[in-house]
Protein backbone atom coordinates (compact mmCIF):
# COMPACT_ATOMS: atom_id res chain seq x y z
CA UNK A 1 0.00 0.00 0.00
CA UNK A 2 1.66 3.30 -1.02
CA UNK A 3 2.44 5.85 1.62
CA UNK A 4 0.38 9.08 1.67
CA UNK A 5 2.13 12.23 0.48
CA UNK A 6 3.25 14.64 3.15
CA UNK A 7 3.59 18.37 2.71
CA UNK A 8 6.78 18.84 4.68
CA UNK A 9 8.07 15.37 5.39
CA UNK A 10 10.86 13.72 3.44
CA UNK A 11 9.90 10.07 3.05
CA UNK A 12 11.49 7.47 0.79
CA UNK A 13 9.68 4.93 -1.38
CA UNK A 14 8.83 1.64 0.29
CA UNK A 15 10.89 -1.34 -0.75
CA UNK A 16 9.48 -4.76 -1.46
CA UNK A 17 7.79 -6.20 1.63
CA UNK A 18 9.47 -9.00 3.51
CA UNK A 19 7.86 -12.10 4.89
CA UNK A 20 6.99 -11.39 8.50
CA UNK A 21 3.86 -12.64 10.29
CA UNK A 22 1.51 -9.92 11.51
CA UNK A 23 0.83 -9.81 15.26
CA UNK A 24 -2.36 -11.65 16.11
CA UNK A 25 -5.25 -9.90 17.85
CA UNK A 26 -4.45 -11.77 21.06
CA UNK A 27 -0.84 -10.53 20.92
CA UNK A 28 -2.02 -6.94 20.41
CA UNK A 29 -4.36 -7.15 23.41
CA UNK A 30 -1.59 -8.66 25.54
CA UNK A 31 0.80 -5.87 24.45
CA UNK A 32 -1.74 -3.24 25.45
CA UNK A 33 -2.08 -4.90 28.84
CA UNK A 34 1.71 -4.95 29.27
CA UNK A 35 1.95 -1.28 28.35
CA UNK A 36 -0.84 -0.30 30.73
CA UNK A 37 0.76 -2.25 33.59
CA UNK A 38 4.17 -0.72 32.83
CA UNK A 39 2.66 2.76 32.65
CA UNK A 40 1.02 2.36 36.08
CA UNK A 41 4.32 1.17 37.55
CA UNK A 42 6.61 3.73 35.82
CA UNK A 43 4.60 6.49 34.09
CA UNK A 44 7.65 8.71 33.48
CA UNK A 45 9.60 5.85 31.89
CA UNK A 46 6.95 4.22 29.72
CA UNK A 47 5.27 7.50 28.75
CA UNK A 48 2.40 5.91 26.80
CA UNK A 49 -0.59 3.88 27.94
CA UNK A 50 -0.76 1.80 24.73
CA UNK A 51 1.79 0.79 22.05
CA UNK A 52 2.08 2.81 18.85
CA UNK A 53 -0.65 2.01 16.32
CA UNK A 54 0.12 0.38 12.99
CA UNK A 55 -0.27 3.58 10.95
CA UNK A 56 1.98 5.60 13.28
CA UNK A 57 4.59 2.82 13.26
CA UNK A 58 4.47 2.68 9.47
CA UNK A 59 4.87 6.46 9.24
CA UNK A 60 7.94 6.39 11.48
CA UNK A 61 9.51 3.52 9.54
CA UNK A 62 8.92 5.31 6.22
CA UNK A 63 11.78 7.73 6.96
CA UNK A 64 14.34 4.90 6.99
CA UNK A 65 15.98 4.01 3.68
CA UNK A 66 16.81 0.27 3.69
CA UNK A 67 19.35 0.84 0.91
CA UNK A 68 21.66 2.86 3.16
CA UNK A 69 24.37 1.02 5.05
CA UNK A 70 24.72 0.79 8.80
CA UNK A 71 22.56 -0.27 11.71
CA UNK A 72 19.15 1.15 12.60
CA UNK A 73 18.94 2.21 16.23
CA UNK A 74 15.56 2.13 17.95
CA UNK A 75 15.09 3.81 21.32
CA UNK A 76 12.25 2.71 23.55
CA UNK A 77 10.83 0.00 21.27
CA UNK A 78 8.48 -1.29 23.98
CA UNK A 79 6.67 -4.37 22.68
CA UNK A 80 7.96 -3.83 19.12
CA UNK A 81 5.25 -2.27 16.90
CA UNK A 82 7.73 0.11 15.25
CA UNK A 83 10.33 -2.66 15.12
CA UNK A 84 7.84 -4.76 13.19
CA UNK A 85 7.19 -1.86 10.81
CA UNK A 86 10.93 -1.47 10.21
CA UNK A 87 11.24 -5.17 9.28
CA UNK A 88 8.29 -4.80 6.91
CA UNK A 89 10.00 -1.75 5.47
CA UNK A 90 12.87 -3.98 4.40
CA UNK A 91 15.34 -3.56 7.27
CA UNK A 92 17.03 -6.90 7.98
CA UNK A 93 16.52 -7.81 11.68
CA UNK A 94 20.28 -8.27 12.03
CA UNK A 95 20.69 -4.51 11.47
CA UNK A 96 18.37 -3.55 14.33
CA UNK A 97 19.82 -2.31 17.62
CA UNK A 98 17.00 -2.01 20.14
CA UNK A 99 17.61 -0.04 23.35
CA UNK A 100 14.90 -0.68 25.94
CA UNK A 101 14.89 0.17 29.65
CA UNK A 102 12.11 -2.21 30.73
CA UNK A 103 13.56 -5.73 31.32
CA UNK A 104 10.21 -7.43 30.63
CA UNK A 105 9.97 -5.69 27.25
CA UNK A 106 13.56 -6.75 26.51
CA UNK A 107 12.65 -10.41 27.04
CA UNK A 108 9.65 -10.01 24.75
CA UNK A 109 11.72 -8.27 22.06
CA UNK A 110 14.37 -11.00 22.11
CA UNK A 111 11.65 -13.59 21.62
CA UNK A 112 9.92 -11.71 18.79
CA UNK A 113 13.07 -10.49 17.02
CA UNK A 114 15.76 -13.09 17.83
CA UNK A 115 18.17 -11.77 15.19
CA UNK A 116 18.09 -8.18 16.47
CA UNK A 117 20.49 -6.81 19.08
CA UNK A 118 18.44 -6.01 22.19
CA UNK A 119 20.12 -3.93 24.89
CA UNK A 120 18.64 -3.23 28.30
CA UNK A 121 19.94 0.23 29.06
CA UNK A 122 19.42 3.96 29.34
CA UNK A 123 18.73 5.57 25.96
CA UNK A 124 19.45 9.01 27.42
CA UNK A 125 23.03 7.85 28.03
CA UNK A 126 23.27 6.49 24.52
CA UNK A 127 27.03 6.93 24.17
CA UNK A 128 27.72 4.57 27.08
CA UNK A 129 24.86 2.21 26.24
CA UNK A 130 26.08 1.61 22.67
CA UNK A 131 29.81 1.64 23.48
CA UNK A 132 31.40 -1.36 21.75
CA UNK A 133 28.11 -2.34 20.10
CA UNK A 134 27.78 0.02 17.12
CA UNK A 135 31.06 0.12 15.18
CA UNK A 136 29.87 1.92 12.04
CA UNK A 137 27.65 4.97 11.41
CA UNK A 138 23.95 4.23 11.76
CA UNK A 139 21.58 5.03 8.91
CA UNK A 140 18.71 6.13 11.19
CA UNK A 141 17.52 6.38 14.77
CA UNK A 142 13.85 5.80 15.61
CA UNK A 143 12.61 6.95 19.01
CA UNK A 144 9.44 6.34 20.97
CA UNK A 145 10.89 7.85 24.15
CA UNK A 146 8.67 10.14 26.25
CA UNK A 147 10.96 13.12 25.67
CA UNK A 148 8.75 15.66 27.45
CA UNK A 149 9.49 13.92 30.76
CA UNK A 150 13.09 15.14 30.47
CA UNK A 151 14.53 18.68 30.64
CA UNK A 152 15.17 20.36 27.29
CA UNK A 153 18.93 20.29 27.85
CA UNK A 154 18.84 16.51 28.20
CA UNK A 155 16.72 16.16 25.05
CA UNK A 156 19.17 18.30 23.08
CA UNK A 157 22.10 16.27 24.39
CA UNK A 158 20.38 13.06 23.27
CA UNK A 159 19.82 14.48 19.79
CA UNK A 160 23.47 15.57 19.53
CA UNK A 161 24.73 12.19 20.75
CA UNK A 162 22.53 10.31 18.30
CA UNK A 163 23.63 12.48 15.38
CA UNK A 164 27.25 11.73 16.31
CA UNK A 165 26.47 8.01 15.86
CA UNK A 166 24.89 8.36 12.41
CA UNK A 167 25.73 9.20 8.82
CA UNK A 168 25.51 12.91 7.96
CA UNK A 169 21.90 13.88 7.21
CA UNK A 170 20.61 10.60 8.71
CA UNK A 171 17.21 11.01 10.41
CA UNK A 172 16.39 11.03 14.08
CA UNK A 173 12.68 10.12 14.01
CA UNK A 174 10.51 10.91 17.04
CA UNK A 175 6.76 10.81 17.51
CA UNK A 176 4.74 12.96 19.88
CA UNK A 177 1.13 13.42 20.96
CA UNK A 178 1.81 17.07 21.78
CA UNK A 179 1.03 20.09 19.62
CA UNK A 180 4.56 21.48 19.99
CA UNK A 181 7.68 19.61 18.79
CA UNK A 182 9.46 17.44 21.39
CA UNK A 183 12.72 19.19 20.44
CA UNK A 184 12.54 22.81 19.19
CA UNK A 185 12.19 22.99 15.42
CA UNK A 186 14.45 26.04 14.96
CA UNK A 187 18.18 25.58 15.39
CA UNK A 188 21.49 26.42 13.73
CA UNK A 189 22.84 22.88 14.29
CA UNK A 190 20.03 20.72 12.89
CA UNK A 191 16.96 20.84 10.66
CA UNK A 192 13.47 19.68 11.61
CA UNK A 193 10.46 18.58 9.58
CA UNK A 194 7.15 17.03 10.54
CA UNK A 195 4.61 14.60 9.17
CA UNK A 196 0.93 15.22 8.81
CA UNK A 197 -1.10 14.30 11.88
CA UNK A 198 -1.66 10.57 12.12
CA UNK A 199 -5.34 10.68 12.98
CA UNK A 200 -5.77 6.89 12.90
CA UNK A 201 -3.49 6.55 15.91
CA UNK A 202 -5.05 6.62 19.38
CA UNK A 203 -4.44 9.27 20.51
CA UNK A 204 -3.55 11.11 17.27
CA UNK A 205 0.17 11.74 16.93
CA UNK A 206 2.71 13.49 14.74
CA UNK A 207 6.19 12.44 13.65
CA UNK A 208 9.14 14.84 13.81
CA UNK A 209 12.37 14.22 11.88
CA UNK A 210 15.65 15.88 12.87
CA UNK A 211 18.76 15.88 10.70
CA UNK A 212 22.24 17.31 11.07
CA UNK A 213 23.17 18.93 7.71
Amino acid sequence: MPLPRRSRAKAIAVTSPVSHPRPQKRDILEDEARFLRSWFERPLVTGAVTPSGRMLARTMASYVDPRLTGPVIELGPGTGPVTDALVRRGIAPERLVLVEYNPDFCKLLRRRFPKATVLQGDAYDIRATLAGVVDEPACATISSLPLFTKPLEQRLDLLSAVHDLMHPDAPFVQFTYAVVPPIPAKSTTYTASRSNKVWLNLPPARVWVYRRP
Side-chain angles (χ1 to χ4, degrees), residues 43-166:
L44 295 182
V45 174
T46 304
V49 179
T50 59
S52 299
R54 185 177 297 170
M55 186 59 69
L56 175 59
R58 185 185 302 176
T59 301
M60 296 177 73
S62 72
Y63 292 94
V64 181
D65 185 352
R67 298 168 297 182
L68 298 180
T69 60
V72 175
I73 302 168
E74 187 180 355
L75 308 180
T79 58
V82 180
T83 315
D84 180 75
L86 288 168
V87 174
R88 295 181 185 283
R89 173 79 173 149
I91 302 297
E94 295 87 346
R95 297 177 59 189
L96 295 172
V97 179
L98 312 179
V99 180
E100 173 56 53
Y101 189 80
N102 186 311
D104 293 330
F105 288 166
C106 286
K107 293 177 184 177
L108 181 65
L109 291 166
R110 291 188 182 104
R111 187 164 67 247
R112 289 185 172 173
F113 307 97
K115 295 183 180 180
T117 300
V118 180
L119 303 174
Q120 182 185 350
D122 185 2
Y124 293 99
D125 190 15
I126 196 65
R127 295 180 179 90
T129 300
L130 294 184
V133 177
V134 175
D135 56 4
E136 62 176 312
C139 73
T141 299
I142 311 294
S143 170
S144 298
L145 298 174
L147 291 187
F148 281 111
T149 64
K150 300 296 182 180
L152 177 58
E153 183 178 358
Q154 194 168 0
R155 287 177 259 161
L156 290 171
D157 182 66
L158 172 65
L159 179 63
S160 177
V162 166
H163 278 154
D164 288 344
L165 294 170
M166 298 193 296

Side-chain angles (χ1 to χ4, degrees), residues 24 197 213:
Q24 299 300 311
K197 199 107 176 192

